[in-house]
Amino acid sequence: MYYIVYIFWYALSLLPLWVHYVISDVLYLVIYYLIGYRRAIVRKNLTTSFPDKSEVEIREIERGFYHWFCDYIAETVKMFSMSASEMRRRMKFEGIEQVCQDLDNGKGVTVYLGHYCNWEWISSLPLNLHAGATASQLYHPIENKVFDRLFLRSRTRFGAISLEMKEAFNILRGWEKEGRHSVTGYISDQVPGYSSMHYWPTFLNHETPTYTGAERIARLLKTSVYYFDITRPRRGYYVAKVVKICDNPQELEKFAITEKFYRLLEESIKRHPEYWLWSHNRWKRQWKDFVEYFPDEHERKRILNKL
């Protein structure tokens, strides 16, 4: 089954990008108007995140999101066979010299990302680093084994190494001991399990449980920390502006890095809200659910503020 899907996906990816965008436009009509894919979740997320916006404004963002989401699907398929030169032309990294300098100085790098713009294309980062530099990204295995293999192949095409979350720290620590300093990307706006809800920042008008693993690893490995502020100048082109959060995370207060990430991501989203993954049920677990899950106050305190 994997090879059947692989051949189909690869053949489809060979089509020019403009053809993919024609397909995307048709897909938008099907997903938004005919199927109504997760429209209730998208509408709820937008309405509660932007209570000051009118219904007309919410619907405009909603349609923009579905247009972009279909483009994201098309761009992800196209990435499967896109050449390195074309990817460099379409995915720019502004200020990447800072990251290269840290690596040259013998310092590892932590990069925070959100599900904003095309996060799949960020895996082309190795094309913009010095020869021999190591770039990795954390990932959660997809339940469908066929698509898990396909996405892993796509995400490693340009030299990035995919690290499963449960193994990441030991691998990164091993690299550091070998003197192999790396750039590691963390998509940190996902929903954690109850036992991992150590910090609750306010994000887009919601009290939001969040993963803190990226900050914990950055502190333990004493990496510098960055955020990639991604913009989409026009269809088919992205720019990731490199924003430094700190040089020495171990010197900052607990959760200061996580808090800064959410402030930066929120700024990105508010600038162009249609490019965030609104179909993700980000706030399905709320504070009251956390309290119900840990009714004992001492147990809650043990979980909270743990880093």
Side-chain angles (χ1 to χ4, degrees):
M1 178 60 70
Y2 168 74
Y3 291 106
I4 293 172
V5 177
Y6 174 93
I7 291 170
F8 173 77
W9 192 330
Y10 183 78
L12 185 61
S13 74
L14 293 174
L15 295 171
L17 189 55
W18 70 265
V19 176
H20 284 274
Y21 284 137
V22 172
I23 297 173
S24 172
D25 290 339
V26 175
L27 186 62
Y28 161 73
L29 298 175
V30 173
I31 287 180
Y32 184 63
Y33 289 103
L34 187 60
I35 300 176
Y37 171 72
R38 294 200 168 193
R39 278 184 65 174
I41 292 175
V42 172
R43 180 69 59 82
K44 179 183 177 182
N45 284 343
L46 286 171
T47 302
T48 54
S49 296
F50 302 111
D52 296 334
K53 290 189 181 297
S54 67
E55 183 178 347
V56 172
E57 290 174 309
I58 293 295
R59 287 181 180 273
E60 183 179 358
I61 296 171
E62 182 180 88
R63 288 190 294 270
F65 160 72
Y66 280 97
H67 269 297
W68 163 77
F69 182 66
C70 292
D71 279 1
Y72 161 78
I73 295 172
E75 291 165 357
T76 299
V77 173
K78 180 61 182 174
M79 180 182 171
F80 210 63
S81 65
M82 188 182 290
S83 68
S85 58
E86 184 176 4
M87 179 58 82
R88 281 196 192 96
R89 185 169 61 85
R90 293 184 176 276
M91 182 73 242
K92 302 285 189 181
F93 292 87
E94 184 181 301
I96 196 63
E97 300 81 11
Q98 301 175 71
V99 172
C100 293
Q101 187 65 52
D102 281 338
L103 293 175
D104 290 343
N105 291 336
K107 196 174 184 65
V109 175
T110 294
V111 173
Y112 275 89
L113 300 161
H115 285 94
Y116 187 76
C117 283
N118 194 323
W119 57 89
E120 299 293 342
W121 283 16
I122 297 295
S123 65
S124 68
L125 177 63
L127 298 176
N128 299 268
L129 300 175
H130 296 162
T134 300
S136 62
Q137 65 233 347
L138 265 67
Y139 87 101
H140 295 277
I142 301 172
E143 289 186 14
N144 185 299
K145 299 302 181 182
V146 172
F147 280 95
D148 187 55
R149 289 180 66 183
L150 288 169
F151 270 92
L152 277 176
R153 182 193 179 280
S154 183
R155 290 168 180 171
T156 57
R157 281 193 64 235
F158 300 109
I161 300 171
S162 291
L163 306 177
E164 201 169 334
M165 190 172 182
K166 62 184 180 181
E167 303 171 348
F169 175 68
N170 288 333
I171 293 174
L172 292 171
R173 183 173 57 180
W175 288 351
E176 285 293 311
K177 289 180 179 179
E178 296 168 5
R180 182 181 175 185
H181 306 293
S182 64
V183 182
T184 304
Y186 301 79
I187 295 183
S188 297
D189 58 349
Q190 297 169 311
V191 182
Y194 284 106
S195 296
S196 298
M197 294 180 179
H198 308 312
Y199 186 58
W200 290 69
T202 300
F203 172 58
L204 292 173
N205 203 44
H206 299 83
E207 292 300 312
T208 306
T210 184
Y211 280 112
T212 58
E215 178 172 343
R216 181 177 66 87
I217 293 174
R219 287 175 179 272
L220 290 172
L221 298 182
K222 300 180 180 179
T223 69
S224 56
V225 183
Y226 292 87
Y227 168 70
F228 281 2
D229 182 16
I230 308 173
T231 56
R232 196 188 199 207
R234 63 186 190 278
R235 206 176 197 185
Y237 293 87
Y238 295 92
V239 177
K241 182 180 178 182
V242 176
V243 179
K244 178 166 278 190
I245 294 178
C246 69
D247 284 308
N248 301 297
Q250 66 277 11
E251 296 177 359
L252 300 182
E253 291 184 6
K254 187 188 294 187
F255 303 123
I257 298 169
T258 303
E259 180 67 33
K260 182 63 175 178
F261 160 66
Y262 272 97
R263 299 287 69 78
L264 290 168
L265 178 60
E266 192 172 64
E267 289 176 13
S268 298
I269 294 170
K270 287 182 176 180
R271 184 172 58 229
H272 285 289
E274 64 272 22
Y275 297 148
W276 193 55
L277 191 60
W278 294 103
S279 56
H280 178 44
N281 196 4
R282 182 64 182 89
W283 296 288
K284 64 183 177 181
R285 293 172 183 152
Q286 300 177 14
W287 176 257
K288 63 179 179 63
D289 303 316
F290 178 72
V291 172
E292 289 176 4
Y293 194 86
F294 294 109
D296 182 76
E297 185 177 356
H298 295 292
E299 181 68 6
R300 283 203 306 275
K301 288 181 177 179
R302 186 184 68 81
I303 297 297
L304 290 172
N305 298 317
K306 181 181 178 182
L307 186 60

